[in-house]
Amino acid sequence: MNGEFVLEMKNISKQFPGVLALDNVNLRLAAGEVHTLLGENGAGKSTLIKILSGAYRKDSGEIFIDGKPVDINGPKHSMELGISVIYQEFNLNPFFSIAENIFLGKEFVNKMGVIDWKATHAEAGKIIERVGLNRNTHTKIKDLSVGEKQLLEIAKALSLDSRIIIFDEPTATLSSKDVEILFGLIEKLRKENKSIIYISHRMEEIKRIGDKCTVLRDGRYIDTVDAKTTEREQLIKLIAGRKIDESLRKTPENPGKAVLEVRSLKAREKVEDVSFQVREGEILGFSGLVGSGRTETMKTIVGCMERLGGEVFLNGKAVKYKSPCNAMKDGIIYLSEDRKKEGLVLCMSVKQNISITNLRQIMNKGAFSAKKEVSFAKKYVKDLRIKCSAENVQVKNLSGGNQQKVIIAKALFSKAKILIFDEPTRGIDVGAKDEIYDLLLALAEEGYAIIMVSSDLPEVLKISNRVVVMREGRVSAILENENLKQEEVLHYAMGV
């Protein structure tokens, strides 16, 4: 065994009922290295990381740390081996303080066996100073920003003296400022000889901070390449197994009449004076910096948030919704950016998640028809190419891309004609993104009016007919997407 590697995973395999999640996968991690782990949703990245974290046991294969074989038998054992995982969803107690979260389960105690809070807070202060978190250690987690919570998760890893730190999609919910802070901290960890596994679908991040890239596809090891010298197009081809042109723009043709019009909309949070209209057969992109009010605008339209002023017209008729259910009855559906908390019922099956939006359609003479529910689910699984072993499998067991397709199936089954997608491809790989784009374009061609809120500017420019740019709760520009450049959109988004 080569002693130069801090971690080596050889021929790792893992099988779940009906699914071979990992098939002889290899990974090598050197000291002081940022090793990016790439692959489409469902490629096996999460399963591999869960084996490292002790959440899953491998079926076969070998794991070596510092050249010595180990059999990771649980999360506690993984942490004792110096491995920490920072997940996209933070593992923090919102009502505990910073110090309590860092040392939960490993508090300092005095000779009497009582927690020594003075020592706990003093040590917590030293750790958060290392990561640049300028907060009082008594501050409750609920009072921290998303970026600060990310820094705290890293502080927790440092408190364990972890040598191997795994980041799972760390920038998915961060602002550009917080991303810069995170990258600076990763560089600092690298200089401290920490070894980092970094999972991301964002090519610009991989090229910027990665040293090596290991690519997985369909649970199999494909290749390990140099992150800096390997061309972006080659990486995408390795990930998807086919060529994908990220730059090609495909916008819907010949949009029709305006079906939804918003005039001078105002809400309590981040919505000051918003006006726009969307046409049938159109994809209307919404761009802007984090906190610009895009999501709040959509939630105000459908009744998730209280409208304090302005008007909304549906086919020329003024409407005001008290809840998303009322909006859905009128043919407007909002699909949340947080698919796990607001978009899907994870413990329910694919067929149940689809049918829940229109139970009337699966009634037969006043009684629930299980046969109809299965029939409709099979249709959408086939039409949208949802990868699942059966329509009765729980949605939580699907990849991110396939979960997103279930959300689209829900929208179609609801019979809504105005679809509002909030961050439809967040956390989804390039291959699955392309499939989602094709679905949205096909829906627009069928006459659906689509609003797409996205923080991914190339995505907005790729398929939108027009782009609404928001800044500080207001519309700063509505731009036709003909030869539109990213720089022009950013000009309005930043108020330059």
Side-chain angles (χ1 to χ4, degrees):
M1 184 53 51
N2 195 333
E4 71 176 286
F5 295 108
V6 174
L7 168 72
E8 185 166 7
M9 304 179 80
K10 291 186 67 179
N11 302 319
I12 303 296
S13 294
K14 178 68 180 177
Q15 185 156 4
F16 298 103
V19 179
L20 182 58
L22 294 175
D23 185 10
N24 293 310
V25 169
N26 301 307
L27 178 70
R28 286 177 166 181
L29 179 66
E33 176 181 77
V34 177
H35 197 117
T36 57
L37 186 58
L38 309 180
E40 295 188 291
N41 292 93
K45 304 185 301 295
S46 295
T47 303
L48 190 68
I49 293 312
K50 285 179 179 178
I51 287 172
L52 259 185
S53 72
Y56 291 161
R57 295 295 299 272
K58 59 183 171 56
D59 292 338
S60 61
E62 299 173 290
I63 300 175
F64 299 85
I65 293 182
D66 293 328
K68 299 176 182 178
V70 296
D71 184 20
I72 302 172
N73 56 32
K76 184 178 179 182
H77 186 207
S78 175
M79 287 188 283
E80 289 170 351
L81 291 168
I83 301 168
S84 286
V85 184
I86 299 168
Y87 292 104
Q88 189 174 335
E89 287 89 15
F90 303 131
N91 187 22
L92 300 167
N93 187 317
F95 303 105
F96 281 14
S97 70
I98 287 174
E100 288 170 321
N101 270 273
I102 291 175
F103 292 108
L104 189 62
K106 50 185 187 298
E107 296 86 355
F108 293 91
V109 294
N110 59 25
K111 294 178 181 179
M112 304 293 291
V114 178
I115 295 175
D116 186 340
W117 287 114
K118 184 177 180 180
T120 299
H121 282 276
E123 191 61 31
K126 295 176 185 176
I127 294 170
I128 65 172
E129 185 179 357
R130 284 181 66 189
V131 301
L133 178 56
N134 300 314
R135 283 283 198 163
N136 188 300
T137 55
H138 293 273
T139 305
K140 297 287 189 291
I141 304 306
K142 64 183 179 65
D143 298 322
L144 300 181
S145 69
V146 174
E148 288 173 327
K149 290 175 185 175
Q150 183 76 265
L151 294 178
L152 182 56
E153 286 283 15
I154 299 170
K156 284 171 59 181
L158 295 181
S159 75
L160 297 167
D161 198 27
S162 300
R163 296 185 303 130
I164 299 169
I165 303 174
I166 303 163
F167 291 88
D168 187 5
E169 293 284 350
T171 62
T173 57
L174 297 184
S175 68
S176 55
K177 179 182 176 183
D178 289 332
V179 169
E180 291 302 319
I181 293 172
L182 174 65
F183 286 172
L185 186 53
I186 287 175
E187 184 59 35
K188 184 179 178 182
L189 293 172
R190 187 209 303 261
K191 290 177 180 176
E192 293 177 8
N193 222 30
K194 305 289 185 184
S195 300
I196 293 168
I197 298 174
Y198 188 93
I199 301 174
S200 177
H201 295 304
R202 298 181 177 181
M203 288 293 159
E204 64 276 9
E205 296 179 358
I206 292 159
K207 302 292 287 183
R208 179 173 171 184
I209 67 169
D211 297 309
K212 296 286 185 182
C213 294
T214 287
V215 180
L216 305 183
R217 190 195 315 141
D218 297 327
R220 295 182 176 89
Y221 171 82
I222 300 301
D223 201 358
T224 297
V225 297
D226 188 278
K228 296 287 192 296
T229 60
T230 305
E231 292 294 329
R232 180 188 179 106
E233 291 74 18
Q234 178 62 19
L235 279 175
I236 293 171
K237 189 175 180 180
L238 286 171
I239 293 166
R242 63 192 188 278
K243 186 176 180 180
I244 295 175
D245 190 343
E246 290 186 297
S247 62
L248 182 64
R249 294 191 184 187
K250 301 178 287 186
T251 57
E253 297 179 3
N254 305 317
K257 65 178 181 179
V259 289
L260 181 72
E261 184 175 3
V262 175
R263 297 180 189 169
S264 304
L265 192 69
K266 182 177 175 61
R268 186 166 281 108
E269 292 181 23
K270 299 178 181 176
V271 184
E272 294 295 334
D273 180 19
V274 175
S275 300
F276 66 91
Q277 59 178 219
V278 60
R279 302 167 291 187
E280 61 183 17
E282 175 181 42
I283 297 178
L284 182 67
F286 262 74
S287 186
L289 304 179
V290 173
S292 61
R294 299 164 301 170
T295 293
E296 291 80 4
T297 295
M298 302 308 151
K299 287 188 171 182
T300 303
I301 291 170
V302 299
C304 290
M305 291 174 55
E306 183 185 3
R307 189 203 304 179
L308 299 181
E311 298 173 292
V312 176
F313 295 88
L314 177 62
N315 293 316
K317 178 185 174 183
V319 292
K320 187 171 185 178
Y321 302 117
K322 293 184 178 180
S323 75
C325 290
N326 298 134
M328 194 160 61
K329 287 177 183 177
D330 268 358
I332 306 172
I333 189 167
Y334 168 73
L335 302 157
S336 171
E337 62 179 328
D338 191 339
R339 61 175 173 263
K340 291 186 177 180
K341 289 184 180 178
E342 298 178 353
L344 296 166
V345 184
L346 296 176
C347 61
M348 289 171 63
S349 66
V350 171
K351 65 181 180 182
Q352 290 169 324
N353 269 277
I354 293 171
S355 63
I356 201 170
T357 58
N358 195 350
L359 291 173
R360 286 193 184 92
Q361 199 170 340
I362 53 175
M363 303 297 282
N364 187 10
K365 297 180 180 179
F368 176 83
S369 172
K371 187 176 179 181
K372 275 191 172 183
E373 183 183 43
V374 170
S375 176
F376 280 116
K378 283 182 178 293
K379 176 184 183 301
Y380 286 114
V381 167
K382 180 182 177 182
D383 290 351
L384 302 184
R385 299 197 295 275
I386 300 171
K387 293 180 183 177
C388 58
S389 55
E391 64 280 351
N392 59 359
V393 71
Q394 289 185 324
V395 168
K396 69 180 181 181
N397 294 322
L398 271 57
S399 68
N402 286 297
Q403 287 180 351
Q404 196 65 42
K405 289 182 182 180
V406 173
I407 288 177
I408 295 175
K410 282 177 58 177
L412 299 181
F413 191 64
S414 74
K415 300 303 179 185
K417 295 297 288 184
I418 299 173
L419 313 178
I420 303 174
F421 290 95
D422 198 345
E423 302 288 358
T425 65
R426 174 173 284 170
I428 292 177
D429 60 81
V430 289
K433 277 185 179 183
D434 219 49
E435 289 188 1
I436 297 295
Y437 298 153
D438 287 341
L439 284 172
L440 298 187
L441 287 162
L443 291 172
E445 292 297 339
E446 290 178 26
Y448 287 85
I450 297 172
I451 297 174
M452 183 181 72
V453 177
S454 178
S455 300
D456 187 339
L457 188 47
E459 171 175 274
V460 172
L461 296 179
K462 182 165 184 167
I463 63 170
S464 300
N465 293 89
R466 295 178 298 143
V467 180
V468 178
V469 188
M470 289 193 66
R471 179 175 179 269
E472 296 180 356
R474 300 174 184 271
V475 173
S476 58
I478 299 178
L479 308 169
E480 292 290 338
N481 190 17
E482 290 184 16
N483 302 315
L484 185 59
K485 305 296 184 190
Q486 292 189 41
E487 292 78 6
E488 188 176 355
V489 176
L490 288 171
H491 173 97
Y492 290 104
M494 299 175 71
V496 178

